[in-house]
Amino acid sequence: MKKRFVSMALVLTLLSSLLVACGANESKGSEDNKGKEAGSASENYDPNSKLDVTWLNILHTASPPTDTMVKKIEEYTNSKITFNWVPDASKEERITTALASGDLADIVTLTMLTNSSVRNSLKSGMFWEVSDYLDDYENLKLIPQAAREAASIEGKLYGVPFLNNLARGGLIFRQDWLENLGIAEPTTLDEVYEIARAFTEDDPDGNGKDDTIGFGDRSDLRYGSFKTLSSYFGTPNGWAVDENGKFTPEFDTQEYMDTLNYSRKLYENGYLAQDFAVTAKSDQEQQFAQGKAGIFTGIIGITGLRTLAEGLNMDFKLLPVNKISNGDGEYHIWSEGSGVNGLMAFPKTVVKTEAQLKRILKFVNDICDEEVSMYMTRGIEGVHYEYDAEGVTHIINKDLYTAEVTPFSSSRPMPTLFPLKSENPEKELTTKLINENDAFAVFDPTVPLDSATNNEQGTELAKIITDATFKYIMGQSDEAEFKKAVETWKKSGGSAIITEYEEAYKLTKK
């Protein structure tokens, strides 16, 4: 069976067709009005009322923010906000436990939309369906229809989408190490491999010690090195779909096997961190910042790495790279959720009436305003940042900024609404590269589709492939054993997932 990936041209055509603005919604007030509870429509909604809101949110920094910016946001939005911060490293366990127990907040940040527990909770009716409400708000109505579709399940949108760039993948290299060794910026996987070797064997920091490696990594196939390297090999993003609508999981392709062999070779020769399978993201970042590794996956994190390295590496120079091919000159990079990075969802057990929902949506709309966006990205002018003559913002006190502002950077639903010039040339270059990625981003065709089996068993089934992938990379199994694991995945429910995605895909073509 001839397979192909979803072509970029086709995807962009489909997306552009979805960007038609929503017109007047005639379904409001009808019997089947989506997301509206019977008897609630008559309740009064006062958009100017003081809001007491709780928010179960994801924390991407070591410590929660101080109250400084919280008070500014509360003042602007006429609210009292109580945050319950969940560390990013433990979000899967904490969020799934909260969903199971019902211990939720007015707003719940859900970033794992492919997680079976999250998906089941959304489909179960636990959260408000908000499609009919977004266009009533000045900022929320700007959410593209394509993003709404990508964040929906069976055509229903159970929260406000966190918008993101289509693809933020890439590699960060220690540029000072490249310069020390006289190596040019890489453009192919073979050149990346040679850099990993040189960073491990050729004393790139010049200290005369055998104390560096090429790739630092972590126990995460998606956000560690594997997914990005897999993209460069041309592996489909999650799934491939051919011209007949037949679906193939990414790990059942030759490109995935090519990535396995590449990563295994890196590991066998010591060019990939030997403890990657048990390493957390924070430890990987520290390893890179402390000068122990020279290649980091994920160009979006360049500012954080720079901050971690301050005072540790006086000659710390970074080079973000987004265009790496397998040798044929073609570029691919996986797209995370088709530009959607999760949902701000509103559980019906906490937000009990339509009036409450509307007031909370007004709050979400307000934090998308430019003033709050600045609070959450730069802080307070004259305290955390200042403008120069060219309109570039400069951080005044980095310690204060890190403590009071940085933790909010991932909490904005629409971070690209008010783009800012950065004082950091590395950050500006990274933004440029991320925008370039749009041209060769590879989409997951199952993002807007649904599979009952995947909702019920997907997380557990994924562990079969994750374990098999780790074992292969570390030389603990061979190709036959890996393929046996793929067959186990299929027999344990994977084949049903394939069939269900194919059936759901057919429905979109009618």
Side-chain angles (χ1 to χ4, degrees):
M1 177 180 65
K2 183 178 180 182
K3 301 183 180 73
R4 66 173 178 82
F5 305 144
V6 178
S7 71
M8 193 64 195
L10 174 60
V11 173
L12 290 176
T13 299
L14 290 172
L15 290 180
S16 63
S17 68
L18 291 170
L19 285 169
V20 179
C22 292
N25 196 324
E26 297 180 356
S27 66
K28 282 191 175 183
S30 65
E31 290 184 0
D32 59 346
N33 203 353
K34 297 179 181 178
K36 296 188 177 182
E37 295 293 289
S40 66
S42 63
E43 293 185 21
N44 293 325
Y45 158 55
D46 182 2
N48 299 314
S49 61
K50 180 71 175 287
L51 177 67
D52 193 345
V53 63
T54 57
W55 188 348
L56 184 62
N57 202 5
I58 308 300
L59 181 67
H60 295 272
T61 55
S63 302
T66 63
D67 290 339
T68 303
M69 301 318 305
V70 176
K71 291 177 179 177
K72 297 297 290 186
I73 297 169
E74 289 176 336
E75 179 181 349
Y76 185 90
T77 60
N78 190 26
S79 66
K80 172 63 178 176
I81 311 169
T82 302
F83 283 100
N84 182 359
W85 294 101
V86 176
D88 182 67
S90 59
K91 67 183 178 184
E92 186 161 2
E93 177 185 355
R94 293 277 298 276
I95 293 297
T96 53
T97 298
L99 292 173
S101 66
D103 185 16
L104 301 169
D106 295 309
I107 303 172
V108 179
T109 295
L110 299 174
T111 58
M112 307 173 295
L113 297 187
T114 59
N115 178 282
S116 56
S117 296
V118 171
R119 207 164 179 89
N120 278 331
S121 296
L122 291 170
K123 284 189 65 179
S124 73
M126 180 183 293
F127 295 91
W128 284 85
E129 207 276 337
V130 301
S131 299
D132 288 346
Y133 298 99
L134 298 186
D135 290 340
D136 295 337
Y137 301 89
E138 183 178 358
N139 293 319
L140 301 186
K141 70 181 181 182
L142 300 177
I143 298 173
Q145 189 65 19
R148 303 185 195 195
E149 292 285 337
S152 296
I153 298 177
E154 296 182 340
K156 295 184 178 181
L157 182 60
Y158 295 105
V160 176
F162 281 98
L163 300 187
N164 220 331
N165 298 95
L166 291 182
R168 302 182 297 168
L171 299 175
I172 298 175
F173 295 85
R174 283 290 299 268
Q175 184 174 1
D176 47 313
W177 288 9
L178 292 174
E179 293 172 354
N180 290 344
L181 299 174
I183 302 176
E185 176 180 329
T187 59
T188 68
L189 282 165
D190 286 344
E191 292 171 353
V192 171
Y193 184 89
E194 171 56 23
I195 289 173
R197 183 209 63 77
F199 280 3
T200 307
E201 298 179 349
D202 294 349
D203 191 22
D205 57 3
N207 68 356
K209 300 178 181 179
D210 182 14
D211 59 357
T212 60
I213 59 170
F215 276 92
D217 210 353
R218 63 181 186 263
S219 58
D220 188 334
L221 291 181
R222 188 173 178 85
Y223 297 105
S225 70
F226 191 85
K227 184 77 171 179
T228 296
L229 292 174
S230 184
S231 285
Y232 297 156
F233 273 105
T235 306
N237 182 9
W239 295 79
V241 57
D242 70 9
E243 62 272 16
N244 298 314
K246 297 297 181 182
F247 278 66
T248 302
E250 62 180 357
F251 47 81
D252 200 17
T253 65
Q254 182 57 49
E255 292 83 3
Y256 193 95
M257 183 57 63
D258 292 341
T259 312
L260 281 172
N261 289 323
Y262 184 92
S263 298
R264 181 175 181 141
K265 188 177 177 183
L266 284 170
Y267 184 85
E268 286 176 344
N269 289 297
Y271 309 154
L272 173 67
Q274 300 295 286
D275 59 351
F276 80 94
V278 294
T279 298
K281 176 184 177 181
S282 58
D283 293 327
Q284 178 198 15
E285 292 171 334
Q286 287 290 345
Q287 184 183 51
F288 187 85
Q290 293 170 7
K292 297 177 181 178
I295 308 174
F296 188 89
T297 308
I299 58 178
I300 191 66
I302 195 166
T303 301
L305 293 174
R306 165 68 61 190
T307 300
L308 286 174
E310 287 181 358
L312 299 176
N313 288 286
M314 299 305 294
D315 298 321
F316 195 78
K317 296 171 63 177
L318 302 179
L319 174 68
V321 177
N322 69 326
K323 294 179 179 178
I324 303 290
S325 79
N326 62 9
D328 62 3
E330 297 292 326
Y331 302 121
H332 314 276
I333 191 66
W334 67 284
S335 174
E336 182 180 4
S338 299
V340 174
N341 195 33
L343 292 172
M344 295 179 74
F346 317 103
K348 294 179 180 178
T349 54
V350 185
V351 183
K352 297 180 183 293
T353 69
E354 182 189 19
Q356 287 178 277
L357 175 67
K358 285 185 173 182
R359 180 62 186 90
I360 292 172
L361 285 173
K362 172 68 163 50
F363 167 81
V364 175
N365 179 82
D366 290 347
I367 66 173
C368 296
D369 282 351
E370 185 171 11
E371 186 168 340
V372 181
S373 182
M374 288 300 294
Y375 288 151
M376 298 175 105
T377 53
R378 290 295 186 268
I380 303 169
E381 185 176 0
V383 176
H384 300 96
Y385 73 94
E386 60 186 5
Y387 287 103
D388 65 15
E390 297 180 356
V392 177
T393 56
H394 296 267
I395 302 303
I396 299 172
N397 185 322
K398 291 187 177 180
D399 289 339
L400 194 64
Y401 173 80
T402 299
E404 298 183 344
V405 182
T406 303
F408 289 107
S409 63
S410 299
S411 299
R412 296 166 298 142
M414 304 172 71
T416 59
L417 197 58
F418 304 104
L420 296 170
K421 294 181 180 180
S422 174
E423 63 181 308
N424 183 349
E426 294 170 344
K427 179 63 175 177
E428 278 294 292
L429 174 58
T430 297
T431 299
K432 174 178 177 291
L433 299 185
I434 289 174
N435 290 333
E436 286 180 358
N437 281 349
D438 288 357
F440 46 89
V442 180
F443 294 90
D444 181 346
T446 67
V447 167
L449 305 180
D450 195 51
S451 158
T453 304
N454 190 60
N455 294 342
E456 296 168 4
Q457 302 175 241
T459 303
E460 290 301 315
L461 288 174
K463 293 178 181 177
I464 296 173
I465 303 303
T466 298
D467 291 345
T469 298
F470 283 168
K471 287 180 180 178
Y472 190 91
I473 292 172
M474 293 186 291
Q476 298 175 3
S477 67
D478 57 21
E479 184 172 345
E481 290 174 295
F482 179 81
K483 290 184 175 180
K484 183 178 179 180
V486 173
E487 291 305 311
T488 298
W489 177 88
K490 291 178 179 179
K491 293 176 182 177
S492 302
S495 292
I497 293 175
I498 292 172
T499 299
E500 289 163 3
Y501 276 143
E502 289 174 349
E503 292 174 349
Y505 184 72
K506 289 177 183 177
L507 293 176
T508 67
K509 301 302 178 182
K510 290 184 177 181

